[in-house]
Amino acid sequence: MPGDAPAAPAAGATADRAPDTVRLTVGQAVVRFLAAQYTERDGVRRRLFTGCFGIFGHGNVAGLGQALLQAEIDTPGLLPYHQGRNEQAMVHLAAGYARQQDRLQTFAVTASIGPGSTNMLTGAALATINRLPVLLLAGDVFATRVASPVLQELEQPYAGDLSVNDAFRPLSRFFDRVWRPEQLPSALLGAMRVLTDPAETGAVTLALPQDVQAQAWDWPAELFADRVWRIGRPPPEPAVVARAAEIIRSARRPFVVAGGGVIYGGADGALRRFVEATGIPVGETQAGKGSLPYDHPCNAGAVGATGNPAANALAREADVVLGIGTRYSDFTTASRTAFAAPGVRFVTVNVARLDAVKHAGLPVQADAREALDALTEALAGHRTDDAYRERVAALSRAWDETVVAAHRSGHGARTGTLAQAEVLGAVEAAMGPRDVVVCAAGSLPSDLHALWRTRDRKGYHVEYGYSCMGYEIPGGIGVRMAAPDRDVFVTMGDGSYLMMATELVTAVQEGIKIIVVLLQNHGYASIGALSESVGAQRFGTRYRYRDPATGRLDGALLPVDLAANAESLGVHVVRARTLAELTEALAAAKAADHAVLVHVDTDPFEPSPSGDGWWDVPVAEVSTLDSTARAYREYRDGKRAQRPYL
């Protein structure tokens, strides 16, 4: 609940207006309100909004733009403004920041009417899917409609009150349009309620008509008093804990799936105590990677479609699965083939009931840390047998040996082009224990999930809820802004780079150091491999000239120089061709005090070692292509292993 801090002084009061009101425009009121919002968890108080990113147009320049300028001049530091280059990227940056801050702090993002706001739609979807708090302040049409249709206004014959911002409704956890100034307080308070609720959070959109933003109103001064939104730790019901402990005690091969909720809830210490007391092995989701150090005896590593053979073997054999803070995406469950034991049962700890009830298991709706501590107490004296723990250790040891061998494969020395696993090995070796690796889409997230050896709970940042190409650079900037004492290594392919390289300019402008490792493989390597697996022969996934003879995109490589492109954006660039050059370049980047991009060519056809997880991607049932027919037969075999988990 909001705190009851004393009201702020009634600045702006005049003789003809009550002393407990403040006359401000809607835009100015929004800025002052956001600056007074705080979160508190475990006794630590933080500003909810570190600042505001914005690109201005006619839909927000006179309202929020003017308000941010006035705040910067009159009250420096009230709500610092940052300039972005692409509206989608600004939302990604805020999401990256919020994730690194365990969802306790974020940025507001403002854009103009029309394409400025709709550019934020992808970012809104990413934030909501990943359960990350981001506030979107979207410019909107005239509330008075005095000049309709205005520039960039969508006209629909069946609805006069519709605008393009209605597209945010299904992507937002809370949406409101402020048609009149007096609606603003309830809209702002509703937005804060959702942003600070771990079970409900995601993108929050306030659509602000451009004329209303500039309109003045007499606001109650208490609207701008400090408000502290407490992030609680709901405990589990004792009866539910007792039942969960009973189920776990009955298991011969229990297995934990650690999701993002372990990280966000600061429950990594509780997880460590739990597994050390019980000996239960842990498989990590993409969002949960880092829940335990990679070399912890109970950490079997990545589980699911992109998991490793150790964790996936334990998942297949598990008779009880304890999910903690996971939403059980199709990658975590290997499209519902990962947990294959007959009669497997689930116990799921989550603050969100939507996730706690999945797979028809026992829902433990509670804070992850509180639930784990309660389960540790309830299971006192219970421990898996020696043989099971020895099997976990042997499987993990074998996989780690495979990882080291992939890092040192010598593929680059033999062929002249480095394998992706060699590059990742060099990056991992260059990083400090607390540094952060960032990624989002392509073949890299799969390799990182399986191969990366995480040492710190906040050292792994792969956006794999929406798997959004282009997230990497802005997300990495957000991580660095949230953790300026950590180096941030952004790993990305050329496909993602071409989607959204523009925020490199933001890094240069703000003096934000990130290290971008750009793997140039001349196409979409991940989708190329997927295309091949479904019999589509890597169609449309390579960057090639169109061949005049065949009319197809299978000619020579395009003469694209992404290193030169990055240099043109003001970033220091180093080209590396060999493993030795890459190692030297990464060391220099680590020592630098500015943004650096390391460009390295990689072989898209040299696969990295992986697990045996399956992913349900439908294959054409009939085809004249032999490759597709073969793929369909394999697909049918995979479908036979799929389970409903009812």
Side-chain angles (χ1 to χ4, degrees):
M1 294 294 292
D4 53 359
T14 63
D16 60 349
R17 189 166 65 250
D20 57 349
T21 62
V22 184
R23 189 163 184 81
L24 301 168
T25 68
V26 166
Q28 293 159 4
V30 168
V31 169
R32 186 176 294 195
F33 176 89
L34 297 183
Q37 307 307 303
Y38 295 84
T39 61
E40 182 270 316
R41 188 174 74 177
D42 300 335
V44 179
R45 174 170 156 167
R46 305 166 177 86
R47 290 187 65 172
L48 175 56
F49 297 99
T50 302
C52 181
F53 270 83
I55 296 177
F56 299 116
H58 67 285
N60 64 343
V61 65
L64 285 166
Q66 188 280 336
L68 287 164
L69 167 66
Q70 183 171 306
E72 188 172 284
I73 294 173
D74 291 350
T75 320
L78 184 71
L79 190 69
Y81 166 71
H82 301 273
Q83 188 179 67
R85 271 74 206 167
N86 179 286
E87 291 88 354
Q88 179 189 145
M90 294 192 300
V91 186
H92 292 337
L93 193 152
Y97 184 93
R99 175 172 169 175
Q100 190 67 22
Q101 296 286 32
D102 288 334
R103 307 191 295 197
L104 299 170
Q105 292 182 285
T106 187
F107 279 93
V109 181
T110 179
S112 185
I113 182 177
S117 286
T118 55
N119 278 350
M120 298 195 295
L121 289 169
T122 296
L126 180 145
T128 295
I129 286 172
N130 285 284
R131 320 284 171 83
L132 296 170
V134 177
L135 176 62
L136 309 180
L137 303 172
D140 214 321
V141 297
F142 276 73
T144 60
R145 304 184 193 173
V146 66
S148 293
V150 297
L151 179 66
Q152 300 172 335
E153 179 177 352
L154 173 71
E155 288 186 282
Q156 289 286 13
Y158 62 84
D161 63 347
L162 195 71
S163 85
V164 295
N165 286 338
D166 286 272
F168 284 100
R169 291 181 184 272
L171 305 178
S172 303
R173 295 295 291 174
F174 180 86
F175 176 95
D176 202 355
R177 181 178 281 113
V178 180
W179 290 115
R180 294 177 57 87
E182 53 265 53
Q183 295 172 343
L184 182 65
S186 64
L188 289 171
L189 292 170
M192 298 309 110
R193 172 185 61 81
V194 173
L195 287 168
T196 58
D197 186 337
E200 292 294 323
T201 197
V204 166
T205 303
L206 296 183
L208 302 172
Q210 53 189 299
D211 53 343
V212 175
Q213 286 184 48
Q215 188 175 349
W217 193 256
D218 295 332
W219 309 97
E222 63 180 331
L223 180 63
F224 309 113
D226 287 356
R227 282 180 170 77
V228 182
W229 301 82
R230 186 173 182 276
I231 312 298
R233 292 190 178 276
E237 295 181 54
V240 175
V241 171
R243 177 58 182 148
E246 179 185 347
I247 293 172
I248 294 169
R249 283 181 182 274
S250 72
R252 293 178 57 245
R253 299 175 303 278
F255 183 71
V256 168
V257 175
V262 175
I263 307 292
Y264 298 140
D268 49 301
L271 176 63
R272 187 167 189 158
R273 293 189 294 273
F274 174 80
V275 299
E276 288 176 354
T278 62
I280 300 175
V282 174
E284 297 175 313
T285 71
Q286 284 279 14
K289 200 166 170 72
S291 297
L292 290 174
Y294 83 94
D295 55 355
H296 190 281
C298 290
N299 190 356
V303 67
T306 54
N308 70 54
N312 281 346
L314 296 169
R316 278 193 303 273
E317 299 165 5
D319 51 2
V320 170
V321 177
L322 173 59
I324 307 170
T326 176
R327 64 190 186 97
Y328 280 123
S329 74
D330 65 335
F331 264 73
T332 297
T333 67
S335 296
R336 300 199 175 196
T337 64
F339 311 111
V344 59
R345 291 183 292 173
F346 294 85
V347 176
T348 304
V349 174
N350 208 295
V351 290
R353 188 158 183 82
L354 170 67
D355 297 316
V357 300
K358 287 176 180 175
H359 297 169
L362 176 70
V364 184
Q365 189 175 359
D367 173 74
R369 192 180 78 180
E370 294 293 313
L372 280 166
D373 284 344
L375 285 170
T376 302
E377 182 178 348
L379 289 165
H382 175 74
R383 190 165 174 79
T384 58
D385 61 38
D386 292 345
Y388 189 49
R389 295 197 303 276
E390 289 169 4
R391 174 164 167 72
V392 173
L395 288 169
S396 298
R397 186 166 54 249
W399 176 246
D400 194 58
E401 291 170 357
T402 300
V403 171
V404 172
H407 289 170
R408 303 171 181 173
S409 69
H411 181 82
R414 292 191 303 273
T415 67
T417 306
L418 292 172
Q420 189 159 283
E422 291 180 289
V423 174
L424 293 182
V427 175
E428 183 185 280
M431 292 174 62
R434 296 183 67 255
D435 291 345
V436 187
V437 66
V438 175
C439 194
S443 59
L444 280 165
S446 300
D447 285 2
L448 286 165
H449 191 210
L451 302 175
W452 197 259
R453 299 182 295 181
T454 307
R455 292 169 281 177
D456 183 87
R457 65 178 288 268
K458 300 301 292 186
Y460 184 88
H461 186 115
V462 173
E463 188 286 298
Y464 218 54
Y466 206 40
S467 186
C468 184
M469 296 177 70
Y471 172 88
E472 295 89 341
I473 290 173
I477 294 172
V479 172
R480 176 69 182 195
M481 292 181 75
D485 60 334
R486 299 173 184 249
D487 271 326
V488 176
F489 288 73
V490 174
T491 58
M492 64 191 312
D494 50 322
S496 278
Y497 179 89
L498 286 167
M499 290 279 183
M500 199 164 293
T502 51
E503 296 314 302
L504 287 173
V505 179
T506 301
V508 172
Q509 181 182 47
E510 296 280 0
I512 297 171
K513 178 191 174 183
I514 58 172
I515 300 168
V516 179
V517 183
L518 173 57
L519 286 70
Q520 170 62 278
N521 52 38
H522 304 283
Y524 302 122
S526 173
I527 297 302
L530 179 63
S531 172
E532 196 165 34
S533 74
V534 300
Q537 303 176 13
R538 295 184 179 256
F539 176 72
T541 64
R542 290 174 285 189
Y543 295 163
R544 300 289 190 274
Y545 279 110
R546 188 174 297 280
D547 189 330
T550 65
R552 302 182 65 192
L553 295 174
D554 57 3
L557 289 176
L558 298 177
V560 176
D561 189 340
L562 299 183
N565 175 264
E567 281 182 322
S568 76
L569 299 178
V571 177
H572 179 69
V573 173
V574 182
R575 299 173 188 258
R577 295 172 179 80
T578 67
L579 194 57
E581 290 177 354
L582 176 60
T583 301
E584 184 179 342
L586 291 169
K590 175 82 172 149
D593 61 358
H594 51 262
V596 179
L597 183 141
V598 178
H599 180 282
V600 57
D601 285 306
T602 56
D603 184 351
F605 300 104
E606 178 62 18
S608 299
S610 63
D612 50 2
W614 184 72
W615 188 32
D616 191 345
V617 178
V619 180
E621 288 191 53
V622 296
S623 174
T624 60
L625 303 177
D626 290 341
S627 59
T628 305
R630 285 194 303 272
Y632 182 68
R633 289 193 293 271
E634 294 172 0
Y635 176 68
R636 284 188 305 177
D637 291 341
K639 290 288 286 185
R640 292 190 184 100
Q642 216 163 20
R643 301 281 299 280
Y645 298 143
L646 293 176

